[in-house]
Amino acid sequence: MTNDAVPAAEVLATNECWRLLRSVSVGRLAVWVNDHPDIFPVNYKVDRGTLVFRTGAGTKLAAALSGVPVALEADGVDADAGVAWSVVVKGQAVALERTQEVLDTVGLLLFPWETGRKDHFIQIAPDSVSGRRFTIAAPLTWWSPLDDATRAGLE
């Protein structure tokens, strides 16, 4: 069922996706772990058409560097304007191991939020970057009779 009164999502140009990625610093890294997908929050920085994040040893690092492509999603919202956006970067993650590569990231001011050793610098070289911007739906737009049934069951 479609409703012509509901505005369609705007597909974002690549340069707008990168601008939005620069405007926030937290995203969700999707990786493949053994036989299932997993998602980890990461703080990242945009660096010359790539994304860079820091992490410690563990599942996230091993999965990111396993050779299987990864995805990173970042979102933002302007509550006053009632508009939200979402950008997804898909690509290959590689470890920055050469001293100069790591030193180049120092200027990004990439400081992890979580305590602990985060001495692995990981770069995602994108194969694709896509995004969309959309109007936040008012609650009555997505209300259904099930909402009343659930609320009645709780009362």
Side-chain angles (χ1 to χ4, degrees):
M1 183 173 166
T2 63
N3 182 346
D4 293 333
V6 177
E10 172 191 2
V11 175
L12 300 174
T14 303
N15 62 336
E16 178 66 359
C17 290
W18 285 109
R19 185 188 73 76
L20 291 168
L21 286 167
R22 284 184 191 88
S23 73
V24 296
S25 62
V26 176
R28 285 154 307 284
L29 177 71
V31 295
W32 191 257
V33 178
N34 297 325
D35 61 351
H36 63 277
D38 211 341
I39 299 174
F40 298 90
V42 295
N43 54 309
Y44 69 89
K45 290 288 186 169
V46 173
D47 183 34
R48 298 176 296 230
T50 69
L51 299 177
V52 177
F53 68 93
R54 291 173 65 176
T55 190
T59 302
K60 179 186 351 173
L61 177 65
L65 298 179
S66 70
V68 175
V70 302
L72 185 135
E73 179 191 31
D75 305 295
V77 64
D78 180 342
D80 293 333
V83 175
W85 59 267
S86 180
V87 172
V88 175
V89 175
K90 297 176 186 174
Q92 200 68 45
V94 297
L96 299 178
E97 295 176 346
R98 295 192 339 242
T99 303
Q100 189 57 50
E101 291 174 329
V102 174
L103 288 175
D104 287 345
T105 65
V106 172
L108 297 175
L109 302 176
L110 182 57
F111 302 114
W113 286 2
E114 187 178 22
T115 60
R117 287 189 72 156
K118 308 287 184 185
D119 49 0
H120 297 275
F121 290 77
I122 307 302
Q123 181 181 57
I124 301 173
D127 293 325
S128 70
V129 178
S130 61
R132 61 190 192 109
R133 182 181 291 121
F134 52 92
T135 302
I136 299 170
L140 290 179
T141 303
W142 47 263
W143 172 88
S144 73
L146 181 58
D147 293 319
D148 278 343
T150 302
R151 189 172 19 261
L154 295 174
E155 294 174 350

